[in-house]
Structures are given as C-alpha cells and as structure tokens.
Amino acid sequence: MKTFLLGSTKRQVLEMIPECRIHKINLGDQVIALVRSQENFHAFQADCPHRGTSLVEGSLSSEHEVICPSHQYRFNLLTGEVKVGSCGDLEIYPTELTQEGLKVFISNDQ
Ligand code: FES
C-alpha cells in the first residue's frame, strides 16, 4: 500500500479542493480523480472501466454517482459499483483527512 499526502494542512486541502467538482490529481506516475463533499473525499480511478474515457470530464449526480461522459455509465462513489451500464466496477481509493493534509492510499498492484 502506498500512501500519498496532498497539501500540508487540513485547511489548505479544504481551500485547494472545492466541493462538487471532479478534480484530476497526479500522484507520482499515476492519475486519479478526486471529489470532495464537505469534509469527505472520494478518490477513484480517473479512466472509465468501460472504454477508458476520462471521468474527470464526467459529471456528478445527487446520488453520489459519477457519470461517464462517453456512454453515461454511472458508478457509485462510495463503493465503486457500476450502477448503470455493463462493465467492471470503478476502483476506489481510501482517503483520510488529517491535520497534516489528505492521505490517499493506493494498493501496490495499481
Ligand atoms: S467509456 Fe465510460 S461509459 Fe463508455
């Protein structure tokens, strides 16, 4: 498991990452997507499991789903489960907001 730290304080992270938008985040040689909802953060693979379209260009639903812009497949941000469409689930990454910044945990086989 690799741990990445975004920002250097909790306050900086909250200022740096506005709510209700999909952010593209570079972690080393990996790109992930990140959504903030109040003080909760949802990190997930940036490319759609269906055909690889960038989910950073997608949209968010009021049901905690990210919607792919290509074929409108929907994925639950909390579990990664595909809700509309037929493909694999979305890979999600645990996060933890601390006084030192936002930790993002990515398994080594990513
Ligand atoms: S590429 Fe995302 S739904 Fe088809």
Side-chain angles (χ1 to χ4, degrees):
M1 181 78 72
K2 288 187 225 164
T3 303
F4 295 90
L5 185 65
L6 299 179
S8 54
T9 66
K10 178 178 177 178
R11 181 175 174 179
Q12 183 190 41
V13 170
L14 294 173
E15 289 174 356
M16 191 170 65
I17 303 176
E19 290 189 82
C20 304
R21 287 176 37 195
I22 306 171
H23 302 272
K24 178 181 175 184
I25 305 288
N26 293 300
L27 298 178
D29 56 0
Q30 186 165 5
V31 176
I32 67 163
L34 184 67
V35 171
R36 175 184 159 213
S37 174
Q38 297 184 343
E39 293 196 1
N40 298 310
F41 289 83
H42 307 290
F44 51 97
Q45 71 181 81
D47 52 328
C48 179
H50 181 220
R51 292 196 185 154
T53 296
S54 174
L55 293 172
V56 175
E57 310 302 324
S59 55
L60 299 169
S61 81
S62 56
E63 292 88 38
H64 289 46
E65 293 171 343
V66 59
I67 305 166
C68 180
S70 283
H71 310 103
Q72 285 69 52
Y73 284 14
R74 291 170 173 251
F75 303 90
N76 184 297
L77 286 178
L78 306 178
T79 65
E81 181 183 1
V82 59
K83 302 302 285 186
V84 174
S86 55
C87 66
D89 290 340
L90 191 64
E91 188 76 35
I92 57 172
Y93 310 115
T95 62
E96 181 184 354
L97 185 60
T98 71
Q99 294 303 328
E100 290 75 44
L102 179 70
K103 291 181 180 176
V104 181
F105 303 96
I106 298 186
S107 66
N108 288 331
D109 55 351
Q110 297 299 308

